[in-house]
Amino acid sequence: MILYDLDAKNNIRLSPTAWRVKAALHHKGLAWEEIPVAFTDISKLNMHPTIPILVDGDKTLGESFDIIAYLDEKYPDKRVMTSISESKFFENWCNGTLHMPLAHLVLKDIYDVVLDKDRAYFKESREKRFNISLDTVQNGREERVIAFRALLNPVRASLKFKPYLGGDAPNFFDYCLWGTFKWGFAVATFDLLEKDDPILAWFNRVSL
Ligand SMILES: N[C@@H](CCC(=O)N[C@@H](CS)C(=O)NCC(=O)O)C(=O)O
């Protein structure tokens, strides 16, 4: 299997959604070859407009959720998703609730590690998408991170109940949120979470 992932400086992998797919592949014990791609080279692949992209034999898939659902269907051993609709809800919560405020905390940090060939594209596309300058997007983040941390209270409450969001073992819920943090931690030049946050211990438990 080939997985196209997003390339960045220092061998950083920038895509939270590609991290979710890698966690699912790892969970299932499936081998894959990773091909890093620059933002500005994704369209040249002529496969799918966004990363991740998985190629399995003659099948080419985009969209991390669809890729993981496909893996569960084609390789049913060690399922990642216990329920498609509950997994979709959690993905929507994760992306819809966390990604925008998180991006506003680290967008300039991301810009600092994107490949030189991608910098102009990234700056223009992100300033347009977020309607804010990269020079100011991180202003006041030491205060704003407090509201971001509070969004995660349901996660902390669940981790008091069981060691993983999936219960006694990790499943899609864990990998979905883990991908989000894998992205955030890879780029953030400040503490996204407090040092004694139980989410940090959970992150390390889930880590591949
Ligand atoms: N819903 C998609 C989101 C994929 C996505 O937005 N990927 C980003 C990287 S994380 C991307 O490829 N962006 C290309 C661009 O901004 O030009 C999924 O889950 O796979």
Side-chain angles (χ1 to χ4, degrees), residues 6 15-17 39 42 50-52 63-64 121 126 129:
L6 209 45
S15 165
T17 51
F39 275 104
I42 300 172
T50 54
I51 293 294
E63 298 300 310
S64 57
Y121 163 77
R126 269 42 183 186
R129 183 186 295 178

Side-chain angles (χ1 to χ4, degrees), residues 90-102 148 151-152:
F90 190 78
E91 184 203 42
N92 283 330
W93 177 79
C94 211
N95 295 355
T97 306
L98 301 178
H99 281 205
M100 191 58 105
L102 178 53
F148 170 73
L151 295 172
L152 294 154

Side-chain angles (χ1 to χ4, degrees), residues 2-188:
I2 295 172
L3 183 71
Y4 291 89
D5 198 348
L6 209 45
D7 202 4
K9 286 179 181 160
N10 309 324
N11 230 15
I12 290 174
R13 295 289 174 264
L14 276 179
S15 165
T17 51
W19 278 114
R20 292 172 187 170
V21 172
K22 286 191 268 192
L25 287 163
H26 185 264
H27 174 101
K28 296 176 93 61
L30 296 168
W32 73 94
E33 180 197 345
E34 181 176 293
I35 301 189
V37 187
F39 275 104
T40 46
D41 287 336
I42 300 172
S43 60
K44 295 180 194 155
L45 296 173
N46 228 350
M47 289 176 165
H48 187 78
T50 54
I51 293 294
I53 301 167
L54 183 86
V55 179
D56 184 21
D58 58 3
K59 190 116 183 133
T60 299
L61 293 118
E63 298 300 310
S64 57
F65 191 92
D66 297 345
I67 294 171
I68 296 170
Y70 162 83
L71 291 173
D72 267 347
E73 202 182 309
K74 175 105 191 268
Y75 308 97
D77 199 26
K78 299 187 185 153
R79 291 190 70 81
V80 175
M81 292 181 179
T82 45
S83 151
I84 291 278
S85 48
E86 289 167 14
S87 299
K88 196 61 184 172
F89 171 81
F90 190 78
E91 184 203 42
N92 283 330
W93 177 79
C94 211
N95 295 355
T97 306
L98 301 178
H99 281 205
M100 191 58 105
L102 178 53
H104 274 89
L105 296 171
V106 297
L107 203 60
K108 171 67 166 55
D109 290 341
I110 299 174
Y111 179 56
D112 290 340
V113 297
V114 299
L115 298 177
D116 288 339
K117 65 189 282 192
D118 283 343
R119 280 173 74 81
Y121 163 77
F122 186 88
K123 184 168 166 43
E124 192 191 333
S125 62
R126 269 42 183 186
E127 289 191 334
K128 194 168 162 198
R129 183 186 295 178
F130 293 94
N131 194 23
I132 194 163
S133 159
L134 289 183
D135 296 332
T136 57
V137 67
Q138 290 181 184
N139 287 359
R141 68 177 178 176
E142 297 292 345
E143 290 76 48
R144 287 189 285 117
V145 75
I146 294 165
F148 170 73
R149 290 172 185 160
L151 295 172
L152 294 154
N153 283 337
V155 174
R156 293 184 191 95
S158 298
L159 294 177
K160 272 190 191 159
F161 174 64
K162 288 279 182 183
Y164 296 98
L165 301 178
D168 294 319
N171 70 9
F172 178 81
F173 302 135
D174 297 273
Y175 301 139
C176 187
L177 183 64
W178 179 84
T180 296
F181 274 106
K182 193 77 182 156
W183 164 55
F185 289 149
V187 294

